[in-house]
Amino acid sequence: MLSSASSFRNYRGVLNWCVVMLVLSNARLFLENLLRYGILVDPIQVVSLFLKDPYSWPAACLVIVSNVFIFVALYTERKLAMGSISEKVGLLIYIFNLTVILCFPMVVVLKLPSITPVGGAFTLGVYTILFLKLYSYKDVNRWCRVRTQVKARSPSSPSASSCMQSHVSYPGNLSLRDMYYFVFAPTLCYELNFPRSESIRMGFLLRRLFEMVGNCTLLYSVKPVFILQEMDYSRMTERLLRLAVPNHLIWLIFFYCFFHSSMNFVAELLRFGDREFYRDWWNSETITYFWQNWNIPVHKWCLRHFYKPLLRRGAGKLLSQSAVFFASAFFHEYLVSVPLRMFRLWAFMGMMAQLPLAWFVAKFLRGNYGNAAVWLSLIIGQPIAVLMYVHDYYPVYGNLV
């Protein structure tokens, strides 16, 4: 049964064994940290502090301010639908709105010392997601206007109009309810009619909530701690290998917590029908396959609003793929360097290095060797970037242990 030639494919027990071993291997570390340091974060004190002085939470205030950009986008679309402003003026408003979405939180995070790196990363993540969503909102509504103008010039079919009565059509989608459903929905690509599930399954919802709480506890217990000092290359390599395993576990737990538990939790609450948030990236035999399947919402957005438009404008496939990786590298650096308040370009260079790595793996490695190369790049590549940022962050802020 363990032979690759066997037709046996049911290894569910092995997966359960891995889960049990993961829990047991981290239970000791969790108890040790609890006994040594106690409960470092009291949720009751956190809530009471926020209620007493909400202005001491600038990151939360920044997230609330993001509603202004949502209203600007909705107001612009309504004016465009009524014909009060031209397409050119609407485009200029969108360019200004989307530019401010990226620049405004960056300036606040850099200028306001009270925002912690965690708070800054969370805020910038929210604004980045909002940027991608509103860009998709702009594109889809523009396509709808073009389609409406084309239909106005040609006779309409009664059967087509009757079958659309149960669906939202443009410009009936330009409402606050529709906009905020899209803002909270676990997708980056806007649609006038999202697939919807029939009801909310409370059992499914509670399981995802339990997974979120358990995974957050695991993330807290697995965090690596080491003292950074002047090191030679051999000591640096030893620190890198020591960091690799816990960093990889943190990444895997984060993936499961965010892409499976959290996104399914939100989707179930909103009765959002499209649950394809990831595919079998763990079977990736090429770097390209991994990036296409580990984060489906971002991949669909890049394909729909960036890659295919470049192809339609005459750009080649290689140039379009390179442009997508460049944009991804920019946002990775944006989400890391700004909260840390230092610009070292490690995340940017790490993403751009995926291009030659993808070419090498696709050309020279196949099957299990390619899959091993993908796993090795995840296990070793990420800790290298983390170690570089820690190495640069420590002498600047001094109190990192």
Side-chain angles (χ1 to χ4, degrees):
M1 288 185 179
L2 297 179
S3 171
S4 59
S6 173
S7 60
F8 184 76
R9 293 292 181 270
N10 186 6
Y11 297 102
R12 181 68 184 177
V14 177
L15 177 61
N16 291 333
W17 170 78
C18 291
V19 173
V20 171
M21 291 298 296
L22 179 64
V23 173
L24 291 179
S25 61
N26 289 284
R28 183 201 60 83
L29 183 60
F30 173 75
L31 291 175
E32 181 182 349
N33 288 338
L34 185 63
L35 293 174
R36 180 179 297 180
Y37 304 109
I39 300 177
L40 299 179
V41 179
D42 188 350
I44 298 179
Q45 291 183 357
V46 170
V47 174
S48 62
L49 177 63
F50 179 72
L51 294 177
K52 181 179 179 181
D53 187 12
Y55 296 103
S56 64
W57 288 63
C61 294
L62 265 178
V63 172
I64 295 174
V65 171
S66 66
N67 288 279
V68 174
F69 304 103
I70 297 174
F71 290 138
V72 170
L74 180 59
Y75 180 79
T76 303
E77 286 299 335
R78 286 179 172 178
K79 290 297 181 182
L80 285 168
M82 292 186 296
S84 302
I85 59 176
S86 64
E87 291 289 337
K88 187 176 181 180
V89 173
L91 179 60
L92 291 175
I93 295 174
Y94 261 112
I95 291 175
F96 177 78
N97 194 37
L98 294 175
T99 303
V100 176
I101 285 177
L102 293 182
C103 296
F104 169 68
M106 178 181 68
V107 172
V108 174
V109 169
L110 291 176
K111 296 296 183 181
L112 205 61
S114 59
I115 298 183
T116 63
V118 175
F122 174 77
T123 302
L124 292 175
V126 170
Y127 273 81
T128 300
I129 293 173
L130 185 61
F131 171 88
L132 299 176
K133 282 176 176 282
L134 292 185
Y135 190 97
S136 179
Y137 190 74
K138 170 191 73 73
D139 273 359
V140 173
N141 282 296
R142 178 171 57 84
W143 297 338
C144 288
R145 285 193 298 275
V146 172
R147 191 177 306 159
T148 302
Q149 293 170 2
V150 172
K151 286 184 177 180
R153 302 190 191 101
S154 60
S156 58
S157 62
S159 59
S161 60
S162 62
C163 68
M164 291 296 294
Q165 286 179 359
S166 60
H167 294 78
V168 176
S169 58
Y170 185 85
N173 63 306
L174 302 179
S175 64
L176 271 176
R177 179 175 180 174
D178 180 89
M179 168 63 93
Y180 274 97
Y181 182 86
F182 172 55
V183 168
F184 287 104
T187 181
L188 298 176
C189 294
Y190 178 68
E191 297 285 351
L192 271 68
N193 298 281
F194 289 106
R196 304 291 293 272
S197 55
E198 295 182 358
S199 61
I200 298 177
R201 298 167 294 176
M202 292 305 300
F204 182 89
L205 201 67
L206 292 175
R207 285 197 299 272
R208 300 292 83 80
L209 180 62
F210 176 78
E211 289 173 354
M212 289 162 60
V213 174
N215 285 320
C216 289
T217 304
L218 274 177
L219 282 173
Y220 178 77
S221 64
V222 178
K223 63 176 190 257
V225 178
F226 62 92
I227 298 176
L228 188 65
Q229 55 191 4
E230 292 297 328
M231 294 181 288
D232 54 18
Y233 288 109
S234 59
R235 185 59 63 86
M236 184 73 76
T237 303
E238 185 270 335
R239 286 288 189 268
L240 174 63
L241 295 177
R242 177 182 294 187
L243 181 65
V245 174
N247 177 85
H248 186 60
L249 286 177
I250 289 174
W251 184 83
L252 290 175
I253 295 170
F254 167 78
F255 166 81
Y256 188 88
C257 181
F258 185 77
F259 286 96
H260 183 75
S261 303
S262 301
M263 296 187 78
N264 272 293
F265 180 83
V266 175
E268 193 68 25
L269 274 180
L270 298 177
R271 293 174 47 228
F272 186 77
D274 186 2
R275 304 297 176 91
E276 190 181 36
F277 305 127
Y278 57 90
R279 299 192 189 110
D280 61 333
W281 58 264
W282 47 86
N283 292 326
S284 302
E285 297 180 1
T286 63
I287 300 296
T288 304
Y289 186 88
F290 167 78
W291 287 110
Q292 290 174 346
N293 291 275
W294 94 277
N295 188 340
I296 294 300
V298 170
H299 172 66
K300 285 183 177 178
W301 188 95
C302 291
L303 197 65
R304 184 194 202 191
H305 298 286
F306 198 32
Y307 180 75
K308 288 185 176 179
L310 286 176
L311 292 179
R312 286 194 292 266
R313 287 177 171 84
K317 288 187 177 182
L318 180 59
L319 179 60
S320 301
Q321 289 176 355
S322 301
V324 171
F325 271 100
F326 183 87
S328 179
F330 165 78
F331 281 110
H332 276 77
E333 189 64 36
Y334 175 80
L335 293 172
V336 175
S337 290
V338 175
L340 294 178
R341 298 180 177 90
M342 62 180 191
F343 300 92
R344 298 296 188 270
L345 297 180
W346 296 121
F348 182 87
M349 290 188 293
M351 280 300 303
M352 295 307 295
Q354 298 294 306
L355 284 172
L357 180 62
W359 173 84
F360 177 82
V361 172
K363 188 173 182 63
F364 297 104
L365 300 176
R366 292 288 188 274
N368 291 334
Y369 295 103
N371 183 251
V374 173
W375 278 112
L376 194 62
S377 68
L378 294 175
I379 297 172
I380 301 297
Q382 291 177 356
I384 292 177
V386 172
L387 196 60
M388 292 299 100
Y389 279 107
V390 171
H391 180 272
D392 294 340
Y393 187 86
Y394 179 78
V396 175
Y397 296 94
N399 60 348
L400 184 64
V401 177

